[in-house]
């Protein structure tokens, strides 16, 4: 057995806290059915048969072939849909898999939304595998050659495997996060012990905090029975990744909010919110969180990561996730029922003017 450190976030200070965990050296699947060491035929058959992946050139519902020439994920990998790249060794067995995020960020967003996106990846991987081996300085775009990955953090995740996360800048100067699983132990980039303070200062949920303001305006519009005015507000919040906005859109299209009902669209929004871990939407899929995630075809490891991400977002100050985590603790949905913790998180959201949280507080038993 090997001991390592796991990153968690202090709920009182927001700082990174290291706690000792114990884990086995053994390492199995990378993600879903993917494993290092697969032969080409097995890998190809797996990718073409599993609904989590879209093969290159697959026919779309419009009758045309998709433009991508790589396999892509239909499910999010650490928060993003990704293109996949594979490398095989001399023995013709898979020895590296890279996940290239399909969401690119313009140069003007590099030090805000993109930094937060990379921080989210960094925290999510660390939550699963422990602290990285290194902590380099945040790079300037000038350091990155177009279409080349600049790897930043490295983890040894087993006796023979490593994972690296980094950044790629394309020829249009958009930046993407990249995650690579590789056979063998990798020597990490140069370490700067002082850099951990700078990384800790980067907000992980920049977009969700932005979405909170839009959600508040949308809720006010709904309170005034103006669903038409609320829709664009929630749609913009949803583009910032807000599961609560998706749930609200599902409610609007369910009817009774001042616009014609559209049951199919309502169910689509509810499902998207559930896939992001929003309790009030997920419970519509199943009364048990794990069963709901299974029904949604979310991999078990992703479901665990989803809960951890929601908790970190609540700790960073996202009103929507404070409400969401409060509901989970209140009902014992996904998290162990705990009235004190439910009160804590719902109170935090209510203190910021969240009416639903204030109403939920009154029903805690």
């Amino acid at each position: 057995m090997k001991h390592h450190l796991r990153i968690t976030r202090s709920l009182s200070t927001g700082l990174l806290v290291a706690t000792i965990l114990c884990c086995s050296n053994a390492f199995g699947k990378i993600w879903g059915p993917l494993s290092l060491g697969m032969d080409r035929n097995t890998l190809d058959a797996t990718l073409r048969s599993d609904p989590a992946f879209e093969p290159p050139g697959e026919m779309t519902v419009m009758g045309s072939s998709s433009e991508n020439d790589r396999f892509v994920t239909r499910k999010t990998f650490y928060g993003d849909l990704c293109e996949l790249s594979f490398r095989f060794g001399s023995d013709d067995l898979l020895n590296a898999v890279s996940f290239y995020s399909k969401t690119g960020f313009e140069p003007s967003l590099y030090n805000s939304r993109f930094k937060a996106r990379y921080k989210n990846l960094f925290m999510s991987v660390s939550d699963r595998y422990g602290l990285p081996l290194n902590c380099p300085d945040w790079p300037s775009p000038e350091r990155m050659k177009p279409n080349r990955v600049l790897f930043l953090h490295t983890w040894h995740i087993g006796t023979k495997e490593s994972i690296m996360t980094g950044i790629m800048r394309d020829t249009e100067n958009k930046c993407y996060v990249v995650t690579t699983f590789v056979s063998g132990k990798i020597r990490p980039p140069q370490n700067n012990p002082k850099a951990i303070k700078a990384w800790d200062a980067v907000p992980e949920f920049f977009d969700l905090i932005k979405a909170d303001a839009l959600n508040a305006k949308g809720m006010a519009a709904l309170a005034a029975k103006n669903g038409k005015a609320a829709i664009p507000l929630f749609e913009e919040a949803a583009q910032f990744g807000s599961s609560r906005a998706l749930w609200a859109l599902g409610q609007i299209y369910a009817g009774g909010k001042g616009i014609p009902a559209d049951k199919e669209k309502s169910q689509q929004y509810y499902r998207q919110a559930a896939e992001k871990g929003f309790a009030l939407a997920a419970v519509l899929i199943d009364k048990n969180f794990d069963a709901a995630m299974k029904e949604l075809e979310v991999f078990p490891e992703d479901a665990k990561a989803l809960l951890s991400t929601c908790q970190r977002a609540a700790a960073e100050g996202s009103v929507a996730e404070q409400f969401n985590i409060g509901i989970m603790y209140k009902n014992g949905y996904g998290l162990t029922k705990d009235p004190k913790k439910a009160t804590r998180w719902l109170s935090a959201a209510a203190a910021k003017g969240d009416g639903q949280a204030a109403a939920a507080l009154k029903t805690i038993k």
Side-chain angles (χ1 to χ4, degrees), residues 133-137 189-200:
L133 300 174
N134 63 312
C135 192
D137 292 314
Q190 185 176 1
N191 190 37
N192 179 1
K194 296 181 180 179
I196 186 65
K197 293 183 179 179
W199 282 100
D200 186 43

Side-chain angles (χ1 to χ4, degrees), residues 126-175:
S126 295
D127 189 56
R128 182 175 179 184
Y129 296 115
L131 286 170
L133 300 174
N134 63 312
C135 192
D137 292 314
W138 179 256
S140 62
E142 291 74 23
R143 283 183 57 190
M144 292 178 277
K145 296 180 180 180
N147 294 329
R148 295 283 298 275
V149 180
L150 175 63
F151 287 109
L152 299 176
H153 294 94
T154 302
W155 293 256
H156 289 163
I157 58 176
T159 55
K160 297 181 180 179
E161 298 86 16
S162 298
I163 180 173
M164 301 180 292
T165 56
I167 303 170
M168 186 194 74
R169 178 171 64 92
D170 67 13
T171 54
E172 296 179 352
N173 289 325
K174 286 186 177 181
C175 286

Side-chain angles (χ1 to χ4, degrees), residues 64-79:
S64 61
S65 294
S66 57
E67 295 180 357
N68 62 288
D69 58 0
R70 288 179 174 178
F71 282 92
V72 298
T73 63
R74 284 196 178 102
K75 299 179 182 179
T76 57
F77 171 83
Y78 289 121

Side-chain angles (χ1 to χ4, degrees), residues 57-233:
E58 184 171 77
M59 297 300 290
T60 67
V61 292
M62 299 300 292
S64 61
S65 294
S66 57
E67 295 180 357
N68 62 288
D69 58 0
R70 288 179 174 178
F71 282 92
V72 298
T73 63
R74 284 196 178 102
K75 299 179 182 179
T76 57
F77 171 83
Y78 289 121
D80 270 322
L81 297 177
C82 298
E83 291 187 358
L84 300 174
S85 176
F86 305 100
R87 188 182 73 195
F88 294 85
S90 57
D91 55 2
D92 220 28
L93 299 180
L94 182 66
N95 68 8
V97 180
S98 292
F99 292 77
Y100 290 81
S101 168
K102 295 189 72 176
T103 303
F105 292 82
E106 301 287 348
S108 61
L109 301 175
Y110 183 76
N111 286 311
S112 55
R113 294 184 66 187
F114 181 73
K115 262 191 178 181
R117 178 65 194 92
Y118 184 86
K119 175 67 173 290
N120 177 249
L121 173 64
F122 168 84
M123 290 294 294
S124 296
V125 176
S126 295
D127 189 56
R128 182 175 179 184
Y129 296 115
L131 286 170
L133 300 174
N134 63 312
C135 192
D137 292 314
W138 179 256
S140 62
E142 291 74 23
R143 283 183 57 190
M144 292 178 277
K145 296 180 180 180
N147 294 329
R148 295 283 298 275
V149 180
L150 175 63
F151 287 109
L152 299 176
H153 294 94
T154 302
W155 293 256
H156 289 163
I157 58 176
T159 55
K160 297 181 180 179
E161 298 86 16
S162 298
I163 180 173
M164 301 180 292
T165 56
I167 303 170
M168 186 194 74
R169 178 171 64 92
D170 67 13
T171 54
E172 296 179 352
N173 289 325
K174 286 186 177 181
C175 286
Y176 304 78
V177 295
V178 181
T179 308
T180 295
F181 294 84
V182 61
S183 295
K185 297 294 182 70
I186 302 297
R187 179 180 294 178
Q190 185 176 1
N191 190 37
N192 179 1
K194 296 181 180 179
I196 186 65
K197 293 183 179 179
W199 282 100
D200 186 43
V202 174
E204 184 182 353
F205 298 100
F206 181 92
D207 283 5
L208 291 186
I209 303 301
K210 285 275 189 181
D212 280 339
L214 294 164
N215 282 332
K217 293 179 181 179
M219 292 295 183
L222 285 184
K225 298 182 179 181
N226 190 348
K228 187 175 181 180
I231 287 175
L233 293 166

